[in-house]
Amino acid sequence: MKVLFCLLLLLVLEVSPGLCDLKIVNLPSDEPGPEPCARVCSGVAKYTDGGWNNNYGSKAYRVINFPECGFVKPPVVTITTQGDASTSHCPEMRIWDIYSTSFDLLTRYNQRAHLFVSNKCHVHWIATGFVCED
């Protein structure tokens, strides 16, 4: 009975290749890595974490660090914001620079850092890249 249970457990735990398919077509560097090394890493930069600053103009910026992801080259990064429904909208932003362990955000228009806190704006991000090279 113990052997049968172990075999059944192995069958249940085995993952079908079709269920875990991740294909990265290209990266900003145009040098994708080997498919077994592809990784998706995501997180949320909360408005309560601090980190928003004003640049020399009248825009806000923030650096989001993700060294835990282990990317060897800059990944593809996608961002979106989530704010409190009872407040104004979150300021529009864009990705300024992407590195293997972080990326920089900058507001699109002249909007100050305090708006992210007063509007309770979280930044949700997803990074897709490679954790090893050929």
Side-chain angles (χ1 to χ4, degrees):
M1 186 69 172
K2 196 176 209 181
V3 173
L4 182 59
F5 175 76
C6 289
L7 288 173
L8 182 61
L9 183 62
L10 284 174
L11 287 173
V12 170
L13 292 177
E14 185 173 325
V15 178
S16 169
L19 295 177
C20 294
D21 188 28
L22 175 62
K23 178 142 185 94
I24 301 172
V25 177
N26 57 26
L27 293 172
S29 66
D30 280 333
E31 300 173 13
E35 281 192 38
C37 298
R39 175 175 289 170
V40 174
C41 191
S42 64
V44 179
K46 299 176 183 170
Y47 75 92
T48 54
D49 295 343
W52 285 105
N53 298 290
N54 294 313
N55 71 358
Y56 299 110
S58 55
K59 296 184 178 186
Y61 72 92
R62 181 172 182 171
V63 176
I64 303 212
N65 295 297
F66 52 81
E68 307 88 355
C69 296
F71 297 121
V72 295
K73 294 178 184 174
V76 173
V77 176
T78 305
I79 60 167
T80 190
T81 57
Q82 172 203 5
D84 186 351
S86 64
T87 63
S88 301
H89 298 288
C90 295
E92 287 184 41
M93 65 184 73
R94 69 183 192 97
I95 299 172
W96 182 257
D97 273 320
I98 303 174
Y99 308 96
S100 60
T101 59
S102 67
F103 62 93
D104 303 337
L105 294 175
L106 184 68
T107 54
R108 185 167 176 225
Y109 300 108
N110 293 337
Q111 295 167 312
R112 307 302 280 171
H114 71 87
L115 288 174
F116 287 91
V117 176
S118 63
N119 294 348
K120 301 179 181 177
C121 297
H122 301 301
V123 177
H124 296 253
W125 57 268
I126 298 174
T128 307
F130 293 93
V131 295
C132 65
E133 300 183 64
D134 289 326

